Amino acid sequence: MEDLEQQMNDWLRKVKRLNPTTQQKAAMTEAGVKVLEDNLESSTRSKHYQSGRKTDKVKHLADSVSHVDEVGGSKIVGYETAKVSGINHARIARLLNDGWKGHPGDKFHDTAIHESTPKAFIAEKEVYDRLTGGGK
């Protein structure tokens, strides 16, 4: 009976080590966020960038991609609202993505997220393996 208890305690210690802490979760999601931000900025720039446009008062949509840290290590990726003018870049991105009457959307945002998801998971797993030993 004592052997079973020892085995169970050993197993529990191994499992606890694999459960990431809040700081480890934050590091993992940071890696995934970097992938998504880069892909979202690239997609926005390639589909909707206007070269030569003056951006001294309002950032271009592609330059407004950012993230917000949430409680528990999670993060939200999106577009900033312009502080000076109050222009909501997220609303503009949604209109360009989804379209409106007479103007079909091009799904650049949806495509960027879809293409980023597997790459973001790989980046997060690499950080997880490095921080926790990855189940070894």
Side-chain angles (χ1 to χ4, degrees):
M1 192 64 164
E2 202 169 305
D3 285 336
L4 179 58
E5 183 177 355
Q6 182 63 39
Q7 289 175 1
M8 294 300 285
N9 286 333
D10 290 344
W11 174 81
L12 185 57
R13 276 191 294 279
K14 288 178 185 176
V15 170
K16 281 184 178 179
R17 182 176 52 96
L18 297 176
N19 191 17
T21 65
T22 302
Q23 292 81 11
Q24 290 171 326
K25 286 179 191 176
M28 290 165 53
T29 55
E30 186 69 33
V33 160
K34 180 73 173 125
V35 170
L36 179 55
E37 278 183 332
D38 289 349
N39 201 4
L40 195 54
E41 180 187 340
S42 173
S43 177
T44 305
R45 193 170 302 282
S46 71
K47 298 279 186 172
H48 297 288
Y49 196 77
Q50 300 167 336
S51 62
R53 182 177 162 259
K54 291 184 180 182
T55 57
D56 51 339
K57 293 182 182 176
V58 178
K59 285 183 182 180
H60 191 279
L61 184 62
D63 298 327
S64 70
V65 175
S66 68
H67 72 275
V68 176
D69 295 337
E70 292 288 305
V71 176
S74 63
K75 299 175 189 323
I76 298 172
V77 177
Y79 296 92
E80 299 172 345
T81 297
K83 292 180 174 89
V84 176
S85 63
I87 293 174
N88 186 338
H89 285 104
R91 182 179 59 82
I92 293 167
R94 188 191 54 114
L95 285 169
L96 292 170
N97 184 70
D98 297 346
W100 62 94
K101 186 176 181 177
H103 295 73
D106 61 8
K107 304 297 182 202
F108 77 100
H109 186 269
D110 294 342
T111 302
I113 290 175
H114 180 72
E115 290 174 354
S116 297
T117 301
K119 296 172 188 172
F121 282 134
I122 290 169
E124 290 174 352
K125 184 176 182 323
E126 288 172 358
V127 172
Y128 172 81
D129 289 344
R130 182 171 40 85
L131 296 177
T132 64
K136 295 177 185 175

